[in-house]
Amino acid sequence: PALTSVYIDSLFGTLHMELDEPCTCEYSSDKPSFNYGEGTPLGNANSTIHDTQVSGSVYYVKCKDIFDNKGEYIIYKETASSSATDFF
């Protein structure tokens, strides 16, 4: 899954992500190298749109599609920017 859009709605404290294919995502705000399955579920399962309430300043996100392809993203609240690492 590839990240196509990300922003943080500071009024409501919501992290919003859009990906290029349906997938399930999890995040951690304190463990950069958490294993998929150990994170906090992020929004909708098997969807291209994911959102959740957040309060930290950096989020480590891992997503997986139905074929077990994975993507990892680091999202910084200050700039709503991200860095991505896709792996198969």
Side-chain angles (χ1 to χ4, degrees):
L3 187 62
T4 59
S5 175
V6 61
Y7 67 88
I8 295 177
D9 182 332
S10 58
L11 181 62
F12 297 104
T14 303
L15 168 63
H16 178 85
M17 294 175 43
E18 294 184 26
L19 293 102
D20 68 340
E21 64 177 309
C23 59
T24 301
C25 298
E26 300 180 349
Y27 78 97
S28 173
S29 58
D30 60 350
K31 293 183 180 178
S33 59
F34 74 95
N35 293 316
Y36 187 88
E38 298 175 345
T40 302
L42 202 162
N44 308 315
N46 294 316
S47 176
T48 58
I49 297 173
H50 301 274
D51 49 30
T52 193
Q53 297 294 117
V54 292
S55 60
S57 60
V58 62
Y59 309 96
Y60 307 98
V61 179
K62 295 187 179 193
C63 299
K64 182 169 73 169
D65 68 14
I66 61 171
F67 303 106
D68 208 30
N69 297 317
K70 298 173 185 161
E72 293 186 11
Y73 313 98
I74 302 171
I75 300 170
Y76 301 94
K77 184 176 182 178
E78 293 83 19
T79 60
S81 66
S82 66
S83 64
T85 304
D86 290 326
F87 59 96
F88 302 93

